[in-house]
Amino acid sequence: MANMIRKASVFEIANHWTMALSCLVLAITGYGFLFHLEGLNSVFGSYAQMKVIHNYAGIVFSVNIFFTLFLYLPDALSWGSDDITWLLKGGGYLSKGHVNVPPQGKINSGQKLFYLAFLVAGLAISISGFVIWLMPGVKNYILLSHLAHNIAFDFIVFAIPAHGYLGSLANPGTLQIMISGMVPVEWARKRHGKWVREMGY
Amino acid sequence: MSRKALLISPELCMGCRGCQTACKVWNDLPGEKTTNRGSSENPPNLSQDVYNKIRYVEVPSESNPMRWLFVSQRCMHCDDAGCMKICPAPGALFKTKEGAVAFDKDKCIGCKLCVAGCPFDVPRYDGKDKISKCDLCAGRIAEGMAPACAKTCPTGAIRFGDRDGLVAEAQKAGYGKLYGETDLGGLGSLYAFRDAPKFYGMDESPVIPESLVFWHKVLKPLAYWGVGASVAASLVHYLVIGPHKEEEEVRKDG
C-alpha cells in the first residue's frame, strides 16, 4: 500500500457531506419555489411542508458554512505570485497536454477562489434567508434579501456542478478526500507540493 | 369573459362606510376595536379583518377650506400583480376569469413575500399566517353579482361592471385618464380623480419594485440556464480535454 497522507479530517468530511446534502435539499426546494414545480409535492407533501424543510435545511447549511471559516479561510486568504501564475494558466485544465503549474498549498489557487466566492454567496444566501424567514413583512429588508438570496442562488447553482465535476471526474482520486480523507503522498505531491513539503514528506 | 372592475369616484362618496360594513357581512369578518385618533377615519388601516375602507383626506385650500375627500381603498387587482409574481406557492394567489386577484388560504405557505411585492401595501395575514385581503368578492362576481361594497354603495361612488364599459363611461362623464387605467397592466380598481393622485393619498405612478422585475426577467431564467450551462461545460470539458492524468504530472519541484 502506498504511503498515505491525511488531507481532510473526519470533522471536515462530515461538514462537507452535511453541507452537500443540505445544499441539495435547499436547491431542489428552491427550484420548486422559483418555478412552481408542483410535482415536488409528491416528495415533500405540500408547499407548506417544503417551506419548513427549506428553512431548517437552511439552518444546517448556515452552520456548515460557519465551520468552513475555520477549515479553509486562512488558506484561502494566503495569496502569492504562484497563485496568479496558476490562475493565468487555468490550473492546467484548459489543454489536453501537460501544463507546468506552480506547486500548490493545501488547497490550490482555483480552490481558494472558489471558496472565497462560495463563502460570500453562502453567507449572503444564509443571512438573507434568515431575514426573509424571521422578518416577514418588513418590505425594504425583504426586497433586498430576496434579491441577494436569488443572486447568491444563481451563483451557487452555477458553481456547484463545476465544483462537483472538478472534485470527481476531472481529477481521479480527489473524491477520496471526501470519503476517507486519505490520499497517497505521491498523488498529493503532484497537486499540493508546497503543503506536502510543509507536512515533512 | 370580459374583465370586470370597480370604478371609484371619491367626489361622489359621502363617507357613510356602508361598503365597509357590507364587506364585513359578506366576508364574515369580525369588527375591530379601535381607538379615537382624532379622525373620523376608522378603522385606521386595512387589516386581516378589514378588506376595504374609506380613507378620509382633508385638503383645505383658500377657495374651499372644507374640502374633505373620501377614497375607498382595497386590493387594486392589478393585471400585472407584484404579489402573484413573487409568490412561491402555486395557486395561493390566482386570477379569476373576471380578472380578480383571489387567494386560496389552503395553498398559502405564510411566507409574506406578497407583502413586499405589492405596490399598494394591501396584503395582510390572519392569525394562522394565511393571506387575507379583498378578492373582489370572487364568489359573488362568478355568479354575476356585484361585490358587496359596490352593491351597497348608495351614491354610485363604487360601481362595478365590465372594465372597458366603466372606462368609456368615465370618459364620457368628462374624466381624463383614470387612475389605474394603464398602470401595472391596468388595475381592476379604477379611480376617477379630479385632482392629482397625491391629493387622494395615492402614488403618482405605482410600479412593481424594480428588484422584483430584475429577478423575474434576469435572475429566474439565469437559475434555469446557469445550472444547465455548468453541467454542459463540465461534460464538454470531460469529453474534449478529459481528466487530469497521473503520468502527465511529472514535476521535480513538487
Side-chain angles (χ1 to χ4, degrees), chain A residues 31 34-36 38 47-48 51 93 95-96 98 100 136 139 146 150 154 158 161-162 165 169-170 187 190-191, chain B residues 87-88 90 109 112-113 116 118 215 219-220 222-223 226-227 230 234 237-238 240-241 243-244 246 248-249 251:
Chain A
Y31 272 113
L34 203 51
F35 294 109
H36 288 185
E38 292 190 68
Y47 263 73
K51 185 189 83 167
Y93 286 109
S95 66
K96 234 174 176 156
H98 177 70
N100 276 328
K139 189 165 178 169
H146 185 258
N150 280 277
D154 280 3
F158 180 76
Y165 167 66
L169 287 176
W187 182 97
K190 288 163 190 163
R191 288 169 164 77
Chain B
C87 178
I109 61 173
K112 300 193 175 80
L113 283 178
C118 175
W215 163 72
L219 296 179
K220 254 173 96 165
L222 212 56
V227 73
S230 186
S234 301
H237 183 272
Y238 189 70
V240 175
I241 295 173
H244 255 52
E246 284 293 323
E248 289 170 359
E249 299 279 345
R251 276 187 60 80

Side-chain angles (χ1 to χ4, degrees), chain A residues 176-191:
Chain A
Q176 270 305 316
I177 299 168
M178 210 176 155
I179 297 167
S180 64
M182 305 292 284
V183 288
V185 174
E186 287 316 304
W187 182 97
R189 203 189 298 283
K190 288 163 190 163
R191 288 169 164 77

